[in-house]
Amino acid sequence: MQNKSGPSIYIPSDKNIFDALQHKKIGHSEVIRFLRDRGIIVSQGLDKGDLSKIIAGLTFDFNDYIHITKLLENPNRKEKTTRTTVKATSSNEQLAEACQKISKSEAGDESYKVVKKENSTILVVTYTDVDFTKTELRQRTLKKCEVELHAEGDEVTVRMPATKKGKEISERIKSSLASIIGEELEEEVISLESITHAEARSLFFDELIKSIPGYELEDVSSVDVYHEIDNLDGNGDDEEDSSASFAGFIRKAALAGGSVLESTEFNQLHSREFFISKIIWTVVDTLPGGDKVELEAQFGTPSSCTDFKYLVRGVYNYNERTQDHNATKRTPSRVETDTFNKKLEKAAKNSFDKIMNTYVGAEDEID
């Protein structure tokens, strides 16, 4: 009988195992340790590929499979965060009810957990992410998606991972909340799609990096710029216009270094209507002996300046002995991440409001 289901990743073949062991997340020492646990002593000088062939030929049980798949996971992967605000007068009880409604209605491999905090409600969704472009032992990854809801006044803030799953879960929550409240929710997002002027789009980031509460800007280390080419063919009727064809053009560029916004290269691109779509910068605590923090903000769709997201990349602790910040950054704690996410959101909202108040209605005059 023909097997219609195909090979199962839960019974990995020798090729599946060999391909998995070749991944950079599994080091040479880990391969040797695996063999030693099996009672096989090998030389440290043997190549990782040769050792992988030995392991691939061994008999594997379920625990061996789980061990390798855990080595392939990346628990420290930092997802960017995004936020949306909906106009709705809601209580924490209604937010929890909206989350509970989702967890009871959804079925499948996903699990749901509602966590109530003093001022917010968090829906934790544990699910299996499937990516068939990867090797078989890396196709399924267990992930968590946390969507936080906070009600204040006539607004509900929804904070989520800037992923497809995060947006999917947030949409379910908003739909559930709308049915409980009995009215359609008006949503507010940070988007510069209506502002086409390049200077205004760059000014949004310029205002953002300088307005983190309690911190002052130290340096900008990386900037991505984008340029929308409206018409590559040209519509001119005269001979000069028709001969000026686009033999080549640049739509986007990435600049990295120090004080990037003051560089000649950035100023040249900016003068040619390139605008900032992504930026990485560091800020320093205004208090003496405070830490330095590296932040990132970007528009996921730079052509329209939509899908705004942000990330706390790392913290440089202040060293009392050297009277300077450490050269190596560390991963921020959960509390630090939450604190800086709120600071980033506040700064982004203020910058967005400033741009909208200045440029909306004045686009024709600017152009």
Side-chain angles (χ1 to χ4, degrees):
M1 180 182 294
Q2 185 178 1
N3 184 359
K4 297 181 180 180
S5 61
S8 170
I9 66 168
Y10 300 104
I11 308 176
S13 67
D14 53 354
K15 183 180 186 306
N16 300 151
I17 297 169
F18 180 82
D19 290 342
L21 293 174
Q22 294 308 294
H23 196 273
K24 61 182 179 181
K25 290 181 183 176
I26 301 181
H28 186 267
S29 59
E30 192 63 48
V31 176
I32 293 178
R33 188 180 300 111
F34 186 91
L35 287 169
R36 287 180 178 175
D37 290 342
R38 288 292 194 94
I40 303 174
I41 307 300
V42 295
S43 170
Q44 293 276 0
L46 285 178
D47 181 71
K48 179 184 172 183
D50 295 332
L51 296 175
S52 299
K53 291 179 182 177
I54 297 174
I55 295 176
L58 300 175
T59 302
F60 263 61
D61 61 16
F62 181 73
N63 292 326
D64 293 328
Y65 163 75
I66 293 297
H67 176 69
I68 289 184
T69 54
K70 284 185 176 181
L71 292 176
L72 293 170
E73 292 179 0
N74 185 6
N76 297 321
R77 178 182 175 85
K78 295 182 289 186
E79 299 283 4
K80 293 183 177 64
T81 304
T82 187
R83 182 195 93 147
T84 182
T85 302
V86 293
K87 296 292 183 180
T89 303
S90 175
S91 63
N92 288 329
E93 289 72 20
Q94 288 177 316
L95 296 180
E97 183 184 350
C99 294
Q100 293 284 3
K101 189 176 179 181
I102 294 176
S103 62
K104 292 178 181 178
S105 63
E106 297 298 328
D109 296 333
E110 299 177 352
S111 65
Y112 294 76
K113 180 181 178 182
V114 180
V115 180
K116 297 180 182 179
K117 287 189 175 182
E118 183 178 354
N119 297 317
S120 61
T121 302
I122 302 175
L123 178 62
V124 182
V125 182
T126 304
Y127 67 100
T128 301
D129 181 61
V130 180
D131 186 352
F132 292 114
T133 63
K134 298 179 180 179
T135 55
E136 289 202 39
L137 263 68
R138 297 180 60 230
Q139 287 177 358
R140 287 170 169 81
T141 306
L142 191 65
K143 291 186 176 182
K144 283 187 177 182
C145 174
E146 296 187 8
V147 180
E148 181 179 355
L149 299 97
H150 175 72
E152 185 174 355
D154 61 347
E155 291 185 345
V156 176
T157 300
V158 183
R159 184 182 297 114
M160 72 208 98
T163 61
K164 181 180 179 180
K165 191 66 176 180
K167 294 175 183 177
E168 176 188 330
I169 297 297
S170 69
E171 289 300 323
R172 293 184 198 169
I173 295 175
K174 286 182 284 187
S175 177
S176 177
L177 182 60
S179 65
I180 292 173
I181 297 176
E183 62 182 42
E184 187 175 347
L185 303 181
E186 180 184 347
E187 187 173 0
E188 180 184 279
V189 296
I190 294 179
S191 168
L192 298 180
E193 188 171 13
S194 61
I195 306 292
T196 58
H197 198 266
E199 181 181 354
R201 291 181 168 183
S202 290
L203 184 59
F204 166 79
F205 287 99
D206 191 53
E207 293 287 337
L208 169 62
I209 64 178
K210 296 176 182 177
S211 56
I212 304 299
Y215 287 77
E216 60 182 13
L217 174 65
E218 186 201 51
D219 190 23
V220 176
S221 58
S222 178
V223 168
D224 285 12
V225 292
Y226 191 89
H227 184 212
E228 186 65 34
I229 307 296
D230 295 327
N231 188 359
L232 297 183
D233 298 326
N235 294 321
D237 295 329
D238 55 39
E239 183 178 350
E240 182 180 353
D241 287 340
S242 61
S243 63
S245 61
F246 285 87
F249 66 94
I250 297 175
R251 187 181 297 278
K252 56 185 176 180
L255 305 175
S259 300
V260 175
L261 296 184
E262 281 74 49
S263 66
T264 303
E265 291 79 7
F266 172 77
N267 289 325
Q268 287 177 345
L269 290 170
H270 202 247
S271 65
R272 295 170 54 194
E273 298 298 310
F274 280 80
F275 56 84
I276 300 173
S277 61
K278 176 182 176 181
I279 192 166
I280 298 175
W281 76 103
T282 51
V283 293
V284 180
D285 197 329
T286 53
L287 296 176
D291 294 333
K292 179 170 66 174
V293 185
E294 186 177 53
L295 305 171
E296 177 181 334
Q298 71 175 105
F299 284 110
T301 308
S303 58
S304 58
C305 282
T306 55
D307 187 22
F308 179 72
K309 46 192 173 183
Y310 44 89
L311 174 69
V312 183
R313 293 173 60 90
V315 178
Y316 297 87
N317 288 120
Y318 184 80
N319 192 316
E320 293 287 351
R321 182 178 59 84
T322 61
Q323 299 293 299
D324 198 1
H325 294 97
N326 293 336
T328 305
K329 64 184 176 185
R330 62 171 176 82
T331 302
S333 66
R334 186 183 182 91
V335 174
E336 289 173 324
T337 299
D338 290 343
T339 299
F340 276 99
N341 279 342
K342 292 176 182 177
K343 290 180 181 291
L344 275 166
E345 290 166 2
K346 182 178 180 180
K349 181 65 167 60
N350 292 337
S351 301
F352 175 72
D353 289 342
K354 185 173 182 179
I355 297 302
M356 296 301 287
N357 291 335
T358 303
Y359 287 92
V360 169
E363 281 277 279
D364 295 336
E365 297 179 11
I366 295 174
D367 294 334

